[in-house]
Amino acid sequence: MASSKTTKVSVAGGDSVKDGKSSCSAGEPATTSTIYSLDELETVATVGTGTFGRVFLVKDKRSRAFFALKQMRIPDVIRLKQEQHVHNEKEVLSEVNHPFLIRLFWTHHDERFLYMLMDYVPGGELFSFLRSRGRFSNATGLFYTSEIVCAIEYLHSKEIVYRDLKPENILLDSEGHIRLTDFGFAKKLSDKTWTLCGTPEYLAPEVIQSKGHGRAVDWWALGILAFEMLAGYPPFFDDNPFGIYQKILAGKLEFPRHLDFYVKDLIKKFLVIDRARRLGNMKNGADDVKKHRWFKSVDWELVPLRKLKPPIVPKVSHEGDTSNFDVYPEDDWKKDPPLPPKDLEIFKNF
């Protein structure tokens, strides 16, 4: 079975960038000159909930296009000390444009909420498909891992660490290609960072030990993800986070017998405690990953062009289909009292 689901806001989006480049690169950021207004956005349904926000499927009354609108309660953002993460998310999404990442179109705030308007991706979370199937075949795991390698390589080329790779944050578009979503923990890095953030099962040892961490944490998380996709459970799990951390630091890996020889080798090379020897974090970066024997059948020029054949094509009847997401009760949380101007000062440029 797949690991238990963590509640974090999921958002969606992205569009194909066919720029003909052979590496996992993409075009310029998808900044838009279109002016959006809350009055013009009609709420269709809630498609995600989190600690301090909700994600709504909305429809633009003018263009009839569907979007995901992430709406965050400002008092909760402040109470949970998430102001910097919210600003990081906006900064990162404002400068990325890649076929495997969500796109941010517009941000806004009023006296109660912060808003982020993004593409809506109707296929749902990879987590849901993993949970329903139990585990993925070697070929299915290879497909998703290949697209994620491209996404991570692109982010790292822009000195961005993602820090939240897990099945809940990987959405599938209507054709079955991935979109990484939820950039609340992503950060532009010039050196190391010390913030403890992420999901316990996916944390790299250097994060747990507060040694300062960098982009190497994303390659560790990819090792965890590859294991979970192919085994149906993560390699280090326990009933409480402390137990998980102890197992991560001990680093003892036990593979299910059915796993392919080469993928076991790849996972071992990702889950190396010494960052200087971790695959993806050495001198040749992502090239070392792409040259690994498990990927021998992958044509890396075709991956960012979305030319590999997706193993799962979600059932999507129309652009605004919400059937691949959980059903959430619609409540009256929008009736929060307005905040005083001094509390809004930190978000004046949002």
Side-chain angles (χ1 to χ4, degrees):
M1 55 101 191
S3 66
S4 61
K5 179 160 173 148
T6 52
T7 36
K8 276 196 58 193
V9 173
S10 273
V11 292
D15 205 354
S16 167
V17 178
K18 296 183 173 63
D19 62 356
K21 293 181 188 171
S22 60
S23 70
C24 292
S25 59
E28 289 305 304
T31 47
T32 174
S33 56
T34 310
I35 303 297
Y36 295 91
S37 133
L38 291 175
D39 295 337
E40 295 288 334
L41 299 173
E42 176 190 338
T43 301
V44 180
T46 300
V47 290
T49 61
T51 323
F52 48 84
R54 288 175 94 92
V55 180
F56 299 97
L57 169 63
V58 296
K59 187 175 188 178
D60 186 338
K61 293 173 186 172
R62 291 170 300 172
S63 67
R64 316 301 292 161
F66 289 97
F67 296 95
L69 181 68
K70 183 172 180 176
Q71 187 171 335
M72 296 165 277
R73 279 187 171 112
I74 294 175
D76 291 345
V77 172
I78 294 170
R79 178 174 57 83
L80 295 165
K81 298 184 169 55
Q82 296 296 306
E83 299 97 328
Q84 193 55 53
H85 283 160
V86 167
H87 284 298
N88 287 348
E89 182 171 16
K90 179 188 174 179
E91 181 194 2
V92 166
L93 287 177
S94 297
E95 70 167 88
V96 298
N97 181 23
H98 192 274
F100 300 144
L101 306 179
I102 53 156
R103 284 187 309 175
L104 174 68
F105 294 107
W106 177 69
T107 57
H108 179 67
H109 76 86
D110 55 24
E111 295 169 321
R112 298 174 176 84
F113 299 102
L114 303 173
Y115 303 91
M116 301 178 82
L117 190 70
M118 318 194 196
D119 281 306
Y120 174 61
V121 177
E125 298 171 4
L126 187 67
F127 178 88
S128 306
F129 297 97
L130 182 55
R131 183 173 49 188
S132 65
R133 292 178 179 219
R135 65 178 197 232
F136 292 151
S137 68
N138 191 62
T140 299
L142 180 67
F143 171 86
Y144 295 126
T145 306
S146 302
E147 293 199 337
I148 293 162
V149 166
C150 267
I152 291 174
E153 181 185 20
Y154 171 76
L155 288 170
H156 290 185
S157 75
K158 293 191 159 290
E159 299 191 329
I160 292 164
V161 58
Y162 177 54
R163 298 200 292 187
D164 209 12
L165 190 64
K166 57 180 177 178
E168 295 92 322
N169 285 346
I170 301 163
L171 297 168
L172 299 187
D173 66 17
S174 56
E175 293 173 28
H177 293 283
I178 70 151
R179 294 281 188 275
L180 289 193
T181 186
D182 205 337
F183 280 70
F185 289 156
K187 187 177 185 181
K188 186 107 177 175
L189 276 190
S190 51
D191 188 20
K192 288 180 182 173
T193 183
W194 276 263
T195 323
L196 175 69
C197 62
T199 299
E201 288 89 348
Y202 279 75
L203 289 182
E206 60 266 29
V207 179
I208 296 166
Q209 293 171 319
S210 300
K211 286 183 170 177
H213 61 272
R215 292 183 287 276
V217 301
D218 288 339
W219 296 117
W220 174 281
L222 184 54
I224 302 285
L225 180 69
F227 186 107
E228 181 168 358
M229 286 194 291
L230 298 169
Y233 55 87
F236 309 113
F237 63 92
D238 195 86
D239 290 336
N240 69 73
F242 186 70
I244 295 169
Y245 300 153
Q246 285 182 310
K247 289 178 179 177
I248 290 169
L249 296 175
K252 188 162 176 269
L253 275 174
E254 291 181 17
F255 290 101
R257 289 174 65 177
H258 71 270
L259 254 61
D260 170 271
F261 172 80
Y262 289 122
V263 81
K264 285 194 280 195
D265 182 71
L266 176 72
I267 290 167
K268 281 180 199 163
K269 286 175 173 163
F270 279 143
L271 301 184
V272 169
I273 288 181
D274 179 359
R275 286 169 285 179
R277 291 173 44 246
R278 191 174 302 158
L279 193 69
N281 195 49
M282 295 181 286
K283 186 163 62 85
N284 299 321
D287 283 342
D288 288 337
V289 178
K290 293 168 163 183
K291 286 177 179 151
H292 190 275
R293 290 280 296 170
W294 193 51
F295 296 111
K296 64 182 182 291
S297 63
V298 174
D299 182 337
W300 287 105
E301 294 197 6
L302 299 182
V303 179
L305 300 177
R306 301 167 82 251
K307 290 282 203 290
L308 299 194
K309 189 173 187 296
I312 297 170
V313 180
K315 291 187 174 69
V316 175
S317 59
H318 61 96
E319 283 178 38
D321 189 348
T322 60
S323 61
N324 291 303
F325 290 94
D326 291 338
V327 176
Y328 299 92
E330 306 296 335
D331 61 16
D332 275 348
W333 73 301
K334 289 188 176 183
K335 297 194 168 49
D336 291 3
L339 269 79
K342 68 175 173 58
D343 287 351
L344 297 171
E345 185 64 22
I346 190 170
F347 300 111
K348 67 177 186 290
N349 295 321
F350 192 84

